[in-house]
Amino acid sequence: MKIKIMTIFPQMFAGFLNTSIIKRAIDNKLIEIEIVDFRQYSKDKNKRVDDYPYGGGAGMILSCQPVLDCLSEIKSDNSFVIITDPAGKRFDQSLAKQYSQKDELVIICGHYEGFDGRIYDFVDEKVSIGDYVLTGGELASMVISDAVSRLVDGVISSNSTCEESFENDLLEYKQYTRPQIYNGMAVPEVLVSGHHENIRLYRLKEQLKNTYLYRKDLLKKHQFTEEEKRLMKEIIEEHD
Ligand code: 6GU
């Protein structure tokens, strides 16, 4: 899959593109990430990309010309175009999955007070990564690209994506590695018992407990099995 990121701060992406899993995925040609500086498309003699808002008000607005000229040059027929915006649709794991199925994703990074309203007519979706305001869309575009890239076939082993948080709307259980006792703190006994069924039940109960304690909102959409209902009852009794 190919991701094209339109930004006026291309230097912010150096660490992201040159580290760990993303770097390896690019080197192995599983993903391609192109950073496009849309300031280069400005026809203004000082390469300005923003201007004052009509009707007055604080801050500057990104202008149509550089953004739309850049977009029309880099976009193809099968591009899906998103724009980062704190007022957009909330990005989550299911949206990451949808995006990972696309041939090409174009992400336009927002800045200042936002974009000229006419730009949105050329965009498929406005996306926010959470309920807080960032100084710009670059970090959001990296969050989105990272979450999407790791779902592309071959980027990480598929075992790691099928049992992780948000699959079936539950948070993950805690994991442990050697040594079995560290500074007097022991690994839960059941995990070293070798009893696979007990381990499965313990982990499922931990998932339900974490989700109950930290993300009750996720439990509302969870489809409980009979086994999970029974474990949930135990958890609620234990936390009364
Ligand atoms: Cl996508 N952009 C900005 N500027 N702030 C945000 C955001 C995006 N998502 C959450 N906060």
Side-chain angles (χ1 to χ4, degrees):
M1 110 164 277
K2 180 152 190 173
I3 303 175
K4 294 177 176 170
I5 301 176
M6 288 174 46
T7 174
I8 46 172
F9 296 109
Q11 66 276 23
M12 280 184 75
F13 293 84
F16 173 61
L17 297 177
N18 287 303
T19 309
S20 188
I21 294 173
I22 297 299
K23 176 177 170 45
R24 193 182 64 202
I26 293 169
D27 290 347
N28 292 340
K29 308 212 180 314
L30 297 168
I31 56 168
E32 200 179 326
I33 302 183
E34 188 183 336
I35 308 298
V36 184
D37 181 0
F38 67 81
R39 187 183 295 281
Q40 301 307 320
Y41 290 76
S42 172
K43 290 186 173 142
D44 175 75
K45 62 180 184 311
N46 297 314
K47 292 259 180 264
R48 279 185 58 173
V49 290
D50 58 342
D51 211 333
Y52 296 97
Y54 278 117
M60 303 296 277
I61 304 298
L62 287 160
S63 317
C64 287
Q65 183 274 317
V67 176
L68 294 181
D69 281 358
C70 177
L71 183 63
S72 71
E73 182 158 319
I74 68 168
K75 136 182 192 60
S76 59
D77 285 345
N78 49 4
S79 301
F80 191 79
V81 182
I82 64 175
I83 200 162
T84 64
D85 189 327
K89 177 175 184 176
R90 174 73 72 85
F91 184 69
D92 61 12
Q93 191 66 16
S94 92
L95 206 49
K97 263 191 209 152
Q98 286 175 38
Y99 291 169
S100 71
Q101 309 298 318
K102 311 271 183 202
D103 289 332
E104 182 170 291
L105 193 61
V106 176
I107 310 177
I108 310 175
C109 299
H111 257 277
Y112 310 119
E113 289 302 306
F115 291 94
D116 185 299
R118 291 164 287 194
I119 291 173
Y120 296 102
D121 295 345
F122 298 84
V123 161
D124 295 304
E125 211 150 62
K126 284 204 295 188
V127 184
S128 163
I129 61 162
D131 290 342
Y132 40 81
V133 182
L134 303 169
T135 58
E138 281 71 20
L139 288 170
S141 77
M142 285 185 248
V143 167
I144 294 166
S145 311
D146 189 289
V148 169
S149 295
R150 64 189 288 290
L151 295 175
V152 171
D153 277 349
V155 172
I156 54 175
S157 81
S158 52
N159 278 352
S160 341
T161 56
C162 65
E163 277 195 17
E164 64 196 358
S165 290
F166 307 114
E167 285 304 321
N168 65 39
D169 306 315
L170 295 178
L171 301 184
E172 279 236 46
Y173 49 80
K174 277 190 240 166
Q175 302 257 42
Y176 301 85
T177 186
R178 293 191 297 175
Q180 198 176 333
I181 298 178
Y182 176 76
N183 278 357
M185 297 177 286
V187 167
E189 198 59 42
V190 59
L191 296 178
V192 293
S193 68
H195 193 302
H196 296 298
E197 176 59 9
N198 284 354
I199 292 173
R200 186 188 68 79
L201 277 173
Y202 167 80
R203 286 178 164 166
L204 179 58
K205 186 168 173 184
E206 286 291 295
Q207 283 194 283
L208 290 163
K209 187 174 79 183
N210 288 337
T211 316
Y212 175 71
L213 292 178
Y214 304 119
R215 291 295 304 273
K216 283 202 179 63
D217 59 306
L218 292 177
L219 286 184
K220 287 203 189 100
K221 50 178 178 170
H222 184 66
Q223 301 284 326
F224 286 87
T225 63
E226 287 308 312
E227 180 177 62
E228 289 173 345
K229 284 183 195 160
R230 188 170 52 73
L231 291 169
M232 207 56 237
K233 228 167 137 185
E234 287 176 21
I235 292 165
I236 292 168
E237 278 165 17
E238 286 159 15
H239 282 86
D240 265 350

